[in-house]
Amino acid sequence: MYAEVIVDIAHSDVDKIFDYACGEGVEAGMRVEVPFGNKTETGFVMRVKESTALDSARVKPVLRFEPALGEECLALARSIAQRYRVPLALSLRLFLPAEMRTGKVSKRMRTAAFLQGEEEISPRAKRQAEVVEFLKDNAEADLAFLRERFGAAAVNALIARGTVGTKPVRVLRTPYVEAVEERPSHTLTRAQEEAVSSIEGTEKTVTLIHGVTGSGKTEIYLTLIARQLEKGRSAIFLVPEISLTPQMVVQLRARFGGKVAILHSRLSAGERFDEWQRLREGDARIAVGARSAVFAPLKEIGLIVIDEEHDGSYFSESAPRYSTFEVALARAKYNGCKVVLGSATPSVETYRRAKQGEFALITLKDRINARPMPEVRLVDMRREVRRGNATPFSAALREKLNACLSEGNQAILFLNRRGYSQTVMCRDCGNVVKCKNCDVALTYHSEEDCLKCHYCGARYKTLSACPACGGTHIHYMGTGTQRVVRELAKLFPAARILRMDVDTTSGKEGHYAILKQFAERKADILVGTQMVAKGHDFPAVTLVGILDADMGLHFPDYRSGERTFQLITQVAGRSGRAEEKGEVILQTYDPENYILRFAANYDYEGFYEHEIAMRAAMMFPPFVKIVRVMATGESEKETLEALRDVYGRLQEIYARFEGEFLFFHRMHAPIKRIQNKYRYQVLMRMTERGPLSEVYDAAAAVKQKNVLVYVEEDPANLS
Ligand code: ADP
Ligand code: ZN
């Protein structure tokens, strides 16, 4: 027998099948160790066959083998490698955490002792009698523990005589062990019941649940998952990385106990190894995690849930640049199961597909128990500047904070730092400088002291006065969370303040620790960036302050309006989730902005209609595809050569499919060097029928040493 093996080296030179001799027991999907060159490498068996075209006397043997991947994973890995033109070894890696591939982590074992023979213990051997008594009460005990408690001599004597037997037992490393709590499951409301039966009844593979924050979507997912488990099937539950909140883990454990496995980049290697093994062996039937959990080693999947489906983290930013939804859909088709997408603010693209009938659509307009949505008040920050208020807090927000704290409630202050630092805004009139061709905010580049458009490459001079009002309070840099906390402490010296941003959440359970403190009411105010916005449920929060609502609007991204609408809706949704009514203060320099108005009125439909019309008029996705081919390398000369090569190939494609292109342009990327690597790109916009596959071929055909050439579809970031 011969095994066709892909060696786990992600390089196009070795991206081919190698034949190895093997005996019985070696099957497709197994992880093997094989001689390769003068080393031993890990590989994966793609197929087992009877004969080889090679000289069989010279074929080397498989050295070791163990089960790893199923048929479905192999097929999916093949199609991902093909779709994104990456070496098969790279797409196989998606299915196996590093710990599994390298073989550096293994099962943790201990030795258990148990009673196996009958024997009269002499009364003088008191210790031995105690051991036997102990093992009569406890079917099994840890050997090390017995030796410690009763003395090694007594225990060893019993083992030597065969009265006590020993065996190896697996020890599981379990993440979030403290998140275990009893919780009754709710009786579904009528709307939830209807959602469950309509999802189970529909013939469509994909259902979108568009439900306002607090409408009880989570309970719907859990019910659907429970029903699949009853049928003996398994489930994948995907959440944005940041949403692995204590509450989510607690809820899942309370409902499904040890059947849940958590896959998550911040787990320790041992934990990840054990959770993955539990899924593969079928001990755990529900995989919960961020985007990579879509590759969980489950069989007979009955449901895939993608919660907060609009979240940007569902797109991979390194090769292969896959879409989690696409992978989920492929797995759903293979397993004959359904995909449920949920969000209070679906992405424009998903919502369009639902409206066009491709996906089933369920709308939940009300919160559980008809709790009111928090009232949103827009505050004009230009007036605060005119009145001489230089702090990040408007008078209205200070007043509300005061009231909130004196009533013993909690508040969340949200700061959208991401979009702030590079855009240029006039603080007198709120005007943001935009590109004349693209209607997208310009980005300031300090090294060249100019403004650039990331969509068309146009350059503009920096400004000393605002082109709209002539004002001179031109603003480049923003307020950070640290400064907000400092100013807040001055205004409210008695308040206990927690800060949550990238600097305070490093470490394994960084988010978890902060959110847990806040949930246990060990703090009054939580100040944070994007990560405070996601699905948390804190009943005592009655006030949310959004300090700079419009900043994200001008991030140089065609999705910035959509992202801002989503963020505001999500953050606002943290307020007033329990009995007490919630409030939201939304501070802005642009109070007439339609995105903010729609968000303040919870008008998703209005937002969607406006946004989709704008996308159609400007020819942005989902009406076209933005495709970028990027060449990056340390040598400018080599990078340029690679770019010229790919550009030549792309020009041929362009000539053949000219009608499908709306834009085709070669330039250096807006940021010419990142981490010492030069960056040159070809930027294209094409129709849905455009020659995407040919573009991937063109990029893959470039064989320039030391230069990476890759394709991005609708990239979130064009810098
Ligand atoms: P969403 O995921 O839509 O934001 P959640 O599932 O978090 O909403 O539900 C919001 C709140 O309502 C939670 O506190 C949850 O425990 C509660 N809840 C959900 N379903 C029910 C129900 N059927 N009866 C009572 N309370 C419920
Ligand atoms: Zn432009």
Side-chain angles (χ1 to χ4, degrees), residues 283-472:
D283 291 343
R285 315 273 302 150
I286 307 167
V288 182
R291 77 172 170 250
S292 60
V294 77
F295 300 106
L298 283 166
K299 288 193 198 89
E300 292 175 54
I301 301 170
L303 182 72
I304 303 175
V305 175
I306 307 183
D307 190 24
E308 313 282 6
E309 73 76 35
H310 61 274
D311 198 274
S313 70
Y314 286 123
F315 291 90
S316 164
E317 289 192 340
S318 57
R321 293 174 167 71
Y322 66 88
S323 134
T324 304
F325 175 69
E326 260 184 48
V327 177
L329 202 56
R331 296 202 76 175
K333 294 211 166 117
Y334 186 95
N335 288 276
C337 77
K338 288 185 172 143
V339 178
V340 172
L341 308 174
S343 177
T345 53
S347 72
V348 166
E349 182 182 13
T350 300
Y351 199 65
R352 180 161 175 258
R353 291 169 80 172
K355 283 193 92 155
Q356 290 180 336
E358 186 184 346
F359 306 157
L361 176 63
I362 293 172
T363 310
L364 303 171
K365 289 201 165 63
D366 300 309
R367 282 187 159 183
I368 290 287
N369 298 332
R371 276 171 210 144
M373 297 301 287
E375 200 172 302
V376 183
R377 193 167 138 204
L378 284 165
V379 174
D380 185 348
M381 289 305 279
R382 293 169 305 183
R383 287 171 59 187
E384 302 284 326
V385 173
R386 260 177 259 141
R387 280 198 214 131
N389 176 4
T391 72
F393 319 108
S394 61
L397 180 57
R398 282 205 300 264
E399 199 178 290
K400 294 286 180 197
L401 263 174
N402 224 336
C404 170
L405 296 179
S406 60
E407 282 162 23
N409 290 323
Q410 290 178 298
I412 293 179
L413 296 187
F414 169 74
L415 184 78
N416 192 2
R417 204 165 47 168
R418 176 184 179 232
Y420 216 137
S421 56
Q422 301 165 311
T423 47
V424 184
M425 187 192 69
C426 168
R427 286 192 79 176
D428 293 317
C429 74
N431 178 47
V432 167
V433 190
K434 291 189 173 175
C435 173
K436 293 192 180 76
N437 313 323
C438 304
D439 197 34
V440 163
L442 297 177
T443 302
Y444 177 64
H445 287 258
S446 56
E447 73 280 19
E448 292 157 84
D449 194 32
C450 73
L451 305 174
K452 283 189 198 174
C453 171
H454 287 188
Y455 280 77
C456 71
R459 294 160 65 99
Y460 299 80
K461 271 198 220 138
T462 49
L463 307 166
S464 50
C466 170
C469 77
T472 52

Side-chain angles (χ1 to χ4, degrees), residues 188-212 215-225 227-228 303 305 338-342 360-366 368:
L188 296 190
T189 63
R190 184 130 164 248
Q192 286 170 326
E193 284 281 7
E194 282 172 6
V196 168
S197 50
S198 112
I199 290 166
E200 290 185 334
T202 178
E203 294 189 341
K204 292 182 177 156
T205 303
V206 183
T207 299
L208 168 65
I209 306 179
H210 174 213
V212 297
S215 57
K217 296 185 287 298
T218 310
E219 200 67 37
I220 297 175
Y221 308 144
L222 299 187
T223 305
L224 289 166
I225 291 172
R227 300 238 214 163
Q228 290 303 324
L303 182 72
V305 175
K338 288 185 172 143
V339 178
V340 172
L341 308 174
L361 176 63
I362 293 172
T363 310
L364 303 171
K365 289 201 165 63
D366 300 309
I368 290 287

Side-chain angles (χ1 to χ4, degrees), residues 5-133:
V5 172
I6 285 285
V7 178
D8 187 24
I9 300 174
H11 196 286
S12 54
D13 290 351
V14 292
D15 187 25
K16 50 180 166 258
I17 296 284
F18 295 94
D19 283 0
Y20 286 90
C22 67
E24 289 293 317
V26 173
E27 289 168 21
M30 282 188 161
R31 174 184 177 274
V32 291
E33 282 172 19
V34 290
F36 192 78
N38 46 18
K39 287 203 289 195
T40 300
E41 294 283 353
T42 291
F44 295 95
V45 179
M46 301 306 290
R47 206 164 73 93
V48 176
K49 57 189 179 185
E50 296 289 336
S51 60
T52 176
L54 302 176
D55 174 3
S56 59
R58 299 183 55 190
V59 173
K60 291 178 187 160
V62 166
L63 303 175
R64 296 180 56 186
F65 56 90
E66 63 179 3
L69 300 170
E71 279 291 327
E72 183 201 357
C73 299
L74 289 185
L76 196 50
R78 277 199 192 93
S79 79
I80 288 173
Q82 167 60 22
R83 160 94 167 79
Y84 299 101
R85 308 297 193 279
V86 293
L88 198 46
L90 199 60
S91 82
L92 283 166
R93 285 182 187 177
L94 295 169
F95 294 85
L96 282 165
E99 298 77 41
M100 237 59 63
R101 291 196 329 267
T102 55
K104 285 199 183 114
V105 181
S106 52
K107 295 181 182 178
R108 181 186 287 174
M109 307 300 288
R110 64 180 174 86
T111 308
F114 56 94
L115 221 48
Q116 69 178 5
E118 300 253 342
E119 174 199 11
E120 281 298 318
I121 308 277
S122 119
R124 269 177 302 155
K126 200 166 146 254
R127 283 292 193 177
Q128 293 184 21
E130 280 172 15
V131 174
V132 170
E133 277 312 304

